[in-house]
Amino acid sequence: MTKTQTPRGMTRRELLSRGVTAGTSFVVGAGYLTAKDAAWATEMNALKPDTMATLVQMARDIYPHDQVPDENYVVAVKGYDDPQRVDFVEAGIEALNAAARGKGYGRYLDVLWERDRIDLLRGMEDSEFFQTIRGGLVTGLYNQKAVWPIFGYEGESYSLGGYIDRGFDDISWI
């Protein structure tokens, strides 16, 4: 390497992605989903556990926030575990898994690198399935009061007299 070349290195996201996906990040079983390295689990009523795990990973890849725990992503996609939506969701996940197989992987969850998963998602971003999931995540993820402090949002202010007299200018990152 010459003095003018700089090492590429790995971003934090790549390091975390490699570390988490090197092993199985989700444990799936009949009717439940849990992360092996986290203290959360969810029960499914209609979707297969593998489908729910794929939805969680898909949600994380669409709106990646390292500081947001998996359980908030689970809450964001839990609404798709509905008998009336199961066929639509299962078909969408199967299309995603088929795209992964087309790239030499067994399924979407087997794709270790985030950038490779993003490429798969970009290939289906015009589909009704992708747009439904992406659109639902906007409210499903960001309307959770548990994630508001992570982003510095204090909640609605109308009931407290508005923002002007409540530290409107105290956010350091603006």
Side-chain angles (χ1 to χ4, degrees):
M1 182 166 34
T2 66
K3 286 185 177 183
T4 58
Q5 291 177 319
T6 57
R8 180 186 173 315
M10 251 193 294
T11 66
R12 180 173 176 253
R13 179 174 300 287
E14 289 172 330
L15 178 65
L16 290 172
S17 176
R18 178 183 276 185
V20 169
T21 57
T24 304
S25 58
F26 298 111
V27 177
V28 293
Y32 78 94
L33 170 70
T34 185
K36 71 175 185 171
D37 58 349
W40 63 266
T42 190
E43 243 182 273
M44 275 84 60
N45 299 316
L47 293 176
K48 297 177 210 165
D50 195 59
T51 300
M52 182 61 84
T54 305
L55 274 175
V56 172
Q57 184 62 61
M58 183 180 173
R60 224 179 223 302
D61 291 336
I62 292 172
Y63 292 113
H65 299 290
D66 293 336
Q67 68 276 30
V68 176
D70 280 340
E71 59 256 34
N72 295 112
Y73 286 96
V74 171
V75 170
V77 297
K78 185 69 172 141
Y80 296 105
D81 184 30
D82 177 342
Q84 294 182 346
R85 297 175 127 184
V86 71
D87 291 336
F88 174 74
V89 174
E90 294 284 354
I93 294 298
E94 179 48 40
L96 188 55
N97 285 334
R101 285 190 298 275
K103 298 286 186 181
Y105 301 98
R107 59 191 179 143
Y108 184 75
L109 289 176
D110 296 333
V111 181
L112 300 182
W113 291 98
E114 179 181 0
R115 67 177 167 252
D116 295 335
R117 291 191 308 269
I118 298 302
D119 287 343
L120 291 172
L121 291 173
R122 281 194 177 123
M124 68 181 317
E125 69 185 339
D126 292 331
S127 72
E128 180 184 1
F129 171 71
F130 179 88
Q131 291 300 322
T132 299
I133 301 300
R134 186 199 55 77
L137 285 170
V138 171
T139 54
L141 183 61
Y142 299 113
N143 276 0
Q144 294 179 51
K145 289 184 180 183
V147 302
W148 293 353
I150 295 170
F151 300 115
Y153 178 60
E154 297 174 359
E156 64 85 21
S157 70
Y158 178 78
S159 64
L160 302 171
Y163 288 111
I164 292 178
D165 296 324
R166 293 190 54 244
F168 175 71
D169 59 351
D170 68 350
I171 298 175
S172 63
W173 52 269
I174 292 184

